[in-house]
Amino acid sequence: MKRDFISIADWPTDELDKIFALAAELKEKQKRGETRPYLGGKTLAMIFEKSSTRTRISFEVGMVQLGGYPLFLDSRSTQLGRGEPIEDTARVMSRYVDGIMIRTFAHENVTEMARWASVPVINGLSDLLHPCQVMADLFTVLEHKKSFRDLTFCWIGDGNNMANSWINAAAAFGFELRLATPKGYEPDAAVLEPARARGARVLLTNDPLEAAHQAHVLNTDVWASMGQEEEQLKRQKAFAGFQINSDTLRVADPECVVLHCLPAHRGEEITAEVLEGPHSLIFDEAENRLHVQKAIMVTLMG
Ligand code: CP
Ligand code: NVA
């Protein structure tokens, strides 16, 4: 049966661990210049209803490195943009391609695509979740800290698609996750409650320094996500102080690492000093999108 990668919550922890192990192997091979056509002759359709730098390039290059062919589809220039239903698009595309990656607004667009497609569907970001990014983030932490055991993760900012995926990660790997959001910007209860029922240790607070206290991993994201551009001004007021800066580092673990999925707004959710500073793993994290997504594609489509 085909499998999809829509949410970290859909995957057993041992299989997520296997994806990390494969990502490490593929990364090492690629650094040595060794190539193997794991997906030779296969095609990935990539549907983008929102902008992208990292997701598009890493999936596209990853597919080429695996011997496959990536097909970039801008929703505006396909019939999807003119209202062709997902159920028709999914069935037609399944006759041509071996996998579909979709970046969209409503999460239901991803689940509908998966429901109607007979090929694997990968969530390249929805308003609810960004699982490929958090897999790359977890892999980056593993590279630097060797295990998640005994680590405390801290999220400062919006309870958005990234925060929701971090909650699913906390359920899968058992680490403590503290999220500091302004009031009214908490993560989605439809993600949080089932994750807690699965044993996730998640603390919600409105105090960034409480969340960061002795934390080993500090993480943030933009105050206004794609699709929320008109809320930018309102959010700038609501999120004032929800920033990773030198004060945050002062209360965190001295060996802490800093993550940001990018794009970043320096001076808003993170200072330039921290983004460019010695604790930042942000550019390794961006690179690891490539290696981890190659592992996800090989797992689903290989
Ligand atoms: N982090 C991330 O998904 O970046 P893009 O929006 O550039 O793809
Ligand atoms: N939360 C951000 C992540 C961008 C990669 C957004 O959805 O725009």
Side-chain angles (χ1 to χ4, degrees), residues 51-56 103 125 130 133 226 261-263 289:
S51 305
S52 173
T53 296
R54 281 144 288 271
T55 305
R56 183 203 168 156
R103 165 169 287 200
L125 181 147
H130 196 3
Q133 178 70 55
M226 290 182 276
C261 64
L262 299 175
R289 295 290 302 279

